[in-house]
Amino acid sequence: MKDYHFSKIEQAFLQISEQQSITTDIPYLIVENFPQLGFLTALRFIEWVQNNPNGVISLPTGKTPEFFIKWTQHIISNWDTDKIQAILKRYDIDGKNKPCFNNLHFVQIDEFYPINSKQHNSFYYYVNKFYIQGLGLDPAKAQLINCNEIPLPEGITYSEVFPEGKVDLSLRYREAKNAFEVIQQQSIFAIDNWCSEYEAKIRAKGGIGFFLGGIGPDGHIAFNTRGSDHYSTTRLTSINFETEAVAAGDLGGIEVARDHLVITIGLDTIVYNKDVTAIIIAAGEAKAPVVKDALENTPSNIYPASVLRGLKNSRFYITQGAACRLDDMIKQYYTGGEWNREKTERAIIDLCSRLYKYGHHITMDDLNHDEYCRLIPSVNEETVPQVQQTIEKKIHKGMAGESNQRFLHTGPHHDDIMLGLLPHIHRTLRNETNSAHFAVLTSGFTAVTNKFIIKALEDTLHFIDIGQVQMLKYADFFESGYLHKRDKDVYHYLIRVASCEPKELNRALSHRLVRSIVEIWQIKSKEQLIAQINEILTGLKSIYNGEKDVPEIQKLKGMVREYEEELVWAHYGIPTRQVQHLRLGFYTGDIFTEQPNFERDVKPVLDMLKKIDPTVISLALDPEGSGPDTHYKVLQTIAEAVRYWKKEKDLTGLRIWGYRNVWYQFHPAEANVIVPVSLNAMSNLDSAFTNSYLSQVNASFPSYRHDGKFNELAQKIWVDQLKTIQLLLGKHYFYQSEIPRLRACHGLLFYKEMSVDEFLINARELQRSMEGMEL
């Protein structure tokens, strides 16, 4: 291993990780999951501050630094306690030298433009709340990006000169067409000058001494997106789709993100001080490609983080998933520990993909010349056929029928179950000896935009006005009637889908909205209902996109998502009573959600398990915490409920189906069940998604991997997974098969079936790694 001059903290974590080799120019440390990432980063930050009490720091915003912030606050606030002193001693940190953050100089990394600095979703607000106030930094020593205070010509405000927040940067280079464009052009130049002054202030401080940042899906650091000049400085600039998609959650939808520019420090700003400690943190398999590009490819504008290679103190702190594509880690995977079936499968499948060669064309020379295939014990001409047979068994298991089963399909969010398992679920529902329940564990209200709910409420007022919400006429409606006939709302909607009456779809939604409003606000008359809807509309129209809703609006939006989930499963004959809406309390809509606890979160799941008594439980398997934070918190909640249930009941026959969807995928060697997906199944997915997820059809919160609906991305993943297996088995295996399902196969769905004990072992590893992190 190269001499990277690791700090004491880094040396300690390097020993814990048991990394055998690091060959990249930028060293990296690997931890098990997202929470541990924050723990390591907090300790390294404290270590650095002890040595640089007057230093210049620049820290990230968003969800990425959640556990860094929580751990830093927790350690400083409890510095003198036995528990914290033990942690400090364990990692060789001077427990007597409590760092004082008040002397640090803070530099804000980036900000949307334009945005009101008072908005809770502005980075200016975030920095003040979590760093200035949260860590006790001196505001007088903070260099911040306050859009409200960036001076524009003639004292005008950004809202006056840039209507709807749209800034046309082409005015930098073209002639203004009218007087208003002249003012806009002058304003852009004024912002450019402000950015230059911002850069000069950083350099006057000697540059940044401690930089902590995440890495985006395109490889961006700060808002320096793919293609950014390595010599770039602070500037007003546009961002690409991937970054817009990530920002959509902060700004209230992709349509809002597309209208905004950003102010960001440049890549040269970060590396100006050649002694800067520059740390990039990344979690999850989704980040693995950009981590590999940054660490292993030749420095290039295509890989923004590769600019850090010129620094002696640059580091990547990453989870195992984020590290999984690095050459070092691939080598360690194959050479460490005992050889097993999964290694053989992975080596052969990856060889076919790497050579782009069908399995039946792989030769002994190919195997013997491959770095990892030649490690297969007793590798011979039967090795590839044996792997082919193993994969065939997984496919046949995916086609095997299920009878007399009680399925409980769970999802962290609405649409997770559908995107993870729909073709397989549909197949099991065709057998009438099976029964199925569906449970979404969080409300999901953050996915419903104000624009959507405003339009739906205005439609509702219209239908009430023309007398088409007839249930309002029932004598007992406002007493108890609103609680009944929810299946009728669902049927009303789907029958209008069948009869191609789009206007009636809006009316069906309005019926469910009326029931929800009556329930939430305890409405007692038609007049009160109309007044309440108008009050809601007034409130929604007065707030900014992305603002946290009041609890009643959160509940209303969540009930829209619940209606959508009921619509999906009603396609397959599932009544609303078999679709559970748990609304676990840790999901609050805050930037950082709480950790689950027993009474509020685990007990409702445990009660549901006892009531349904499933023989199969499906769940989103995110053992590392690599997807949205809700995923691993829901996983731990379910695991804890199963542990308690296991104390009361013999769960020997209970099966756990771990699925993955658009956020992260299984390697074929990891999954033990492979399900063929037909064009008909893909069509069903598209139809059910488009007709059911009303608030998501226009993809206000799309994946950064696809500018469109989530079901289209799921379909693409299934097709890509088929292509991988086709290389191993040959295309003829499918289209020449004697089995109709294989001949009709145009995609493959992977999942992992586990016993309860196998599942709890995986979940316990995450639980153990999070011990002490309930801060």
Side-chain angles (χ1 to χ4, degrees):
M1 187 179 296
K2 298 179 182 179
D3 184 6
Y4 291 111
H5 303 290
F6 287 117
S7 74
K8 292 179 180 179
I9 291 294
E10 291 171 333
Q11 290 174 10
F13 273 83
L14 188 64
Q15 291 178 350
I16 293 171
S17 71
E18 299 181 351
Q19 290 171 241
Q20 296 175 2
S21 176
I22 303 175
T23 60
T24 54
D25 291 336
I26 303 174
Y28 56 88
L29 295 179
I30 299 174
V31 296
E32 289 186 4
N33 54 52
F34 186 36
Q36 281 200 338
L37 200 59
F39 181 56
L40 162 60
T41 310
L43 291 177
R44 179 64 184 105
F45 177 64
I46 289 169
E47 180 185 46
W48 185 89
V49 174
Q50 285 184 329
N51 296 321
N52 301 273
N54 302 308
V56 180
I57 63 172
S58 200
L59 305 176
T61 52
K63 290 185 177 293
T64 302
E66 173 183 1
F67 286 99
F68 161 70
I69 292 171
K70 288 181 176 179
W71 263 113
T72 303
Q73 291 175 336
H74 182 70
I75 291 171
I76 296 301
S77 299
N78 298 277
W79 187 269
D80 294 322
T81 65
D82 292 342
K83 180 179 179 180
I84 296 303
Q85 283 294 310
I87 290 175
L88 298 175
K89 183 177 180 180
R90 186 188 315 154
Y91 293 101
D92 201 15
I93 295 177
D94 184 359
K96 297 180 180 179
N97 180 21
K98 182 178 180 179
C100 176
F101 296 152
N102 191 54
N103 294 323
L104 296 171
H105 296 263
F106 183 88
V107 173
Q108 184 174 337
I109 293 176
D110 48 23
E111 181 60 282
F112 301 111
Y113 189 89
I115 192 170
N116 189 327
S117 62
K118 296 180 181 179
Q119 290 184 194
H120 291 198
N121 57 347
S122 73
F123 291 159
Y124 177 87
Y125 179 90
Y126 182 109
V127 163
N128 274 280
K129 179 176 181 179
F130 294 110
Y131 294 138
I132 306 300
Q133 298 172 19
L135 298 185
L137 302 179
D138 183 353
K141 296 175 183 175
Q143 185 175 329
L144 306 180
I145 305 174
N146 185 337
C147 294
N148 295 358
E149 296 181 357
I150 297 177
L152 301 179
E154 301 177 12
I156 56 179
T157 64
Y158 65 73
S159 59
E160 294 174 295
V161 71
F162 301 121
E164 300 180 358
K166 297 180 180 180
V167 183
D168 182 4
L169 286 184
S170 71
L171 283 166
R172 275 186 180 143
Y173 315 109
R174 66 173 175 84
E175 184 178 351
K177 297 178 180 179
N178 51 53
F180 187 57
E181 281 199 347
V182 169
I183 293 294
Q184 291 182 315
Q185 187 179 62
Q186 292 173 347
S187 297
I188 291 171
F189 291 149
I191 298 167
D192 289 342
N193 284 330
W194 184 91
C195 290
S196 295
E197 293 169 2
Y198 191 89
E199 179 76 20
K201 290 177 183 177
I202 297 173
R203 298 191 177 216
K205 293 180 174 74
I208 297 169
F210 184 95
F211 175 86
L212 177 64
I215 186 167
D218 67 325
H220 73 251
I221 54 175
F223 271 132
N224 296 282
T225 56
R226 182 181 57 249
S228 294
D229 190 339
H230 280 197
Y231 296 96
S232 57
T233 56
T234 304
R235 64 203 184 280
L236 174 69
T237 186
S238 58
I239 51 179
N240 54 21
F241 167 73
E242 296 99 317
T243 309
E244 289 170 348
V246 172
D250 295 313
L251 293 176
I254 188 71
E255 58 275 8
V256 182
R258 280 177 170 146
D259 288 340
H260 280 68
L261 301 180
V262 297
I263 292 174
T264 181
I265 62 174
L267 295 175
D268 196 55
T269 316
I270 298 170
V271 303
Y272 171 74
N273 175 2
K274 299 306 177 185
D275 292 323
V276 60
T277 295
I279 299 171
I280 300 299
I281 54 178
E285 295 173 21
K287 293 294 178 67
V290 294
V291 168
K292 180 178 179 67
D293 287 338
L295 293 179
E296 294 183 349
N297 281 315
T298 303
S300 165
N301 290 1
I302 300 174
Y303 315 122
S306 65
V307 71
L308 302 180
R309 293 197 193 182
L311 301 172
K312 63 181 179 181
N313 295 319
S314 60
R315 302 283 188 270
F316 269 58
Y317 294 170
I318 52 183
T319 63
Q320 293 173 346
C324 70
R325 294 199 183 188
L326 294 175
D327 290 344
D328 294 334
M329 299 313 299
I330 294 172
K331 183 176 182 179
Q332 183 169 322
Y333 167 78
Y334 283 112
T335 58
E338 294 184 6
W339 194 271
N340 56 29
R341 172 201 56 78
E342 183 180 307
K343 289 183 180 181
T344 299
E345 287 182 34
R346 189 183 289 265
I348 296 299
I349 292 169
D350 289 350
L351 176 65
C352 292
S353 296
R354 191 160 48 249
L355 298 180
Y356 199 72
K357 197 171 185 180
Y358 292 111
H360 53 278
H361 290 156
I362 295 294
T363 66
M364 281 304 301
D365 279 346
D366 293 328
L367 296 174
N368 290 325
H369 284 89
D370 182 76
E371 184 178 3
Y372 303 120
C373 287
R374 66 178 178 227
L375 299 177
I376 298 173
S378 303
V379 60
N380 57 53
E381 293 180 350
E382 294 301 313
T383 299
V384 174
Q386 288 170 357
V387 171
Q388 290 172 327
Q389 290 171 13
T390 302
I391 296 299
E392 286 183 45
K393 289 180 181 178
K394 294 182 182 184
I395 294 173
H396 283 278
K397 187 173 182 179
M399 293 190 293
E402 295 278 358
S403 301
N404 300 302
Q405 302 297 321
R406 288 184 305 280
F407 294 97
L408 173 58
H409 298 293
T410 72
H413 309 96
H414 304 86
D415 76 19
D416 277 333
I417 304 171
M418 165 192 256
L419 297 171
L421 282 175
L422 180 63
H424 196 48
I425 291 173
H426 186 192
R427 192 82 182 179
T428 63
L429 290 175
R430 291 179 182 176
N431 186 327
E432 294 185 358
T433 67
N434 295 324
S435 62
H437 291 255
F438 299 84
V440 179
L441 275 69
T442 64
S443 170
F445 56 82
T446 58
V448 181
T449 63
N450 291 341
K451 180 180 178 182
F452 175 86
I453 205 75
I454 287 171
K455 171 65 167 57
L457 289 173
E458 288 175 341
D459 287 344
T460 301
L461 283 178
H462 170 70
F463 290 124
I464 292 174
D465 184 55
I466 62 176
Q468 290 194 356
V469 185
Q470 296 173 356
M471 59 187 179
L472 296 178
K473 299 176 183 179
Y474 299 157
D476 68 340
F477 178 76
F478 292 102
E479 297 302 321
S480 61
Y482 67 90
L483 295 171
H484 309 306
K485 297 187 178 181
R486 292 178 180 266
D487 284 306
K488 184 178 180 182
D489 296 339
V490 172
Y491 185 80
H492 181 176
Y493 185 93
L494 294 182
I495 196 66
R496 301 307 178 183
V497 170
S499 59
C500 301
E501 298 178 77
K503 289 184 179 179
E504 284 296 307
L505 302 183
N506 295 334
R507 188 160 80 95
L509 173 60
S510 73
H511 279 67
R512 180 54 68 90
L513 281 173
V514 165
R515 295 185 193 278
S516 299
I517 292 168
V518 171
E519 177 181 340
I520 295 168
W521 281 274
Q522 291 297 291
I523 303 300
K524 298 302 180 184
S525 68
K526 176 181 175 181
E527 292 71 26
Q528 188 182 353
L529 173 65
I530 293 172
Q532 185 62 60
I533 293 175
N534 281 314
E535 183 179 328
I536 295 169
L537 285 169
T538 300
L540 288 172
K541 291 177 180 178
S542 67
I543 64 176
Y544 55 83
N545 290 304
E547 182 173 354
K548 183 179 177 180
D549 295 309
V550 298
E552 293 81 4
I553 299 300
Q554 288 182 351
K555 189 171 183 181
L556 179 63
K557 288 183 174 181
M559 291 171 88
V560 169
R561 296 291 278 143
E562 292 165 2
Y563 179 54
E564 293 174 342
E565 196 72 13
E566 291 169 2
L567 291 174
V568 170
W569 303 117
H571 277 71
Y572 306 99
I574 302 298
T576 58
R577 67 177 180 276
Q578 290 175 220
V579 183
Q580 314 296 319
H581 310 298
L582 269 66
R583 307 175 188 170
L584 296 187
F586 74 80
Y587 185 87
T588 60
D590 294 321
I591 294 174
F592 304 142
T593 58
E594 300 176 20
Q595 291 296 109
N597 65 51
F598 181 81
E599 287 297 326
R600 182 191 61 197
D601 304 306
V602 176
K603 190 174 184 301
V605 177
L606 177 58
D607 292 342
M608 177 181 66
L609 292 176
K610 292 178 180 179
K611 181 178 179 180
I612 297 173
D613 192 22
T615 59
V616 178
I617 300 172
S618 74
L619 48 81
L621 188 61
D622 187 1
E624 188 189 77
S626 60
D629 63 344
T630 311
H631 284 207
Y632 67 82
K633 291 177 180 178
V634 164
L635 175 64
Q636 280 308 307
T637 300
I638 296 174
E640 195 65 15
V642 171
R643 285 191 191 98
Y644 274 91
W645 195 28
K646 189 172 184 285
K647 296 176 183 178
E648 304 175 14
K649 178 181 172 66
D650 181 7
L651 302 180
T652 303
L654 178 63
R655 291 179 289 160
I656 309 293
W657 289 356
Y659 64 83
R660 296 183 176 178
N661 50 40
V662 298
W663 299 107
Y664 43 96
Q665 286 81 51
F666 286 112
H667 188 281
E670 294 178 282
N672 55 17
V673 185
I674 298 178
V675 180
V677 180
S678 66
L679 286 175
N680 182 54
M682 294 177 188
S683 178
N684 286 337
L685 174 74
D686 182 68
S687 175
F689 189 98
T690 304
N691 291 324
S692 302
Y693 291 118
L694 317 174
S695 64
Q696 306 304 303
V697 170
N698 293 323
S700 286
F701 303 98
S703 165
Y704 60 82
R705 297 167 62 185
H706 177 68
D707 190 359
K709 296 180 293 185
F710 278 112
N711 67 284
E712 295 169 347
L713 177 56
Q715 179 174 325
K716 180 180 182 299
I717 290 167
W718 295 340
V719 172
D720 288 343
Q721 290 177 167
L722 171 64
K723 291 177 180 177
T724 298
I725 299 302
Q726 281 179 332
L727 277 174
L728 175 68
L729 301 181
K731 291 183 179 180
H732 65 280
Y733 173 83
F734 294 93
Y735 71 79
Q736 290 183 349
S737 174
E738 296 181 358
I739 303 172
R741 281 192 69 186
L742 291 182
R743 292 199 302 272
C745 175
H746 293 283
L748 292 175
L749 183 159
F750 300 160
Y751 71 89
K752 186 172 184 176
E753 181 174 292
M754 299 166 282
S755 68
V756 168
D757 288 340
E758 288 172 328
F759 166 60
L760 292 179
I761 288 171
N762 288 332
R764 191 175 296 115
E765 289 174 356
L766 176 58
Q767 179 66 30
R768 184 171 57 248
S769 68
M770 292 176 66
E771 287 176 358
M773 295 189 181
E774 292 76 17
L775 308 179

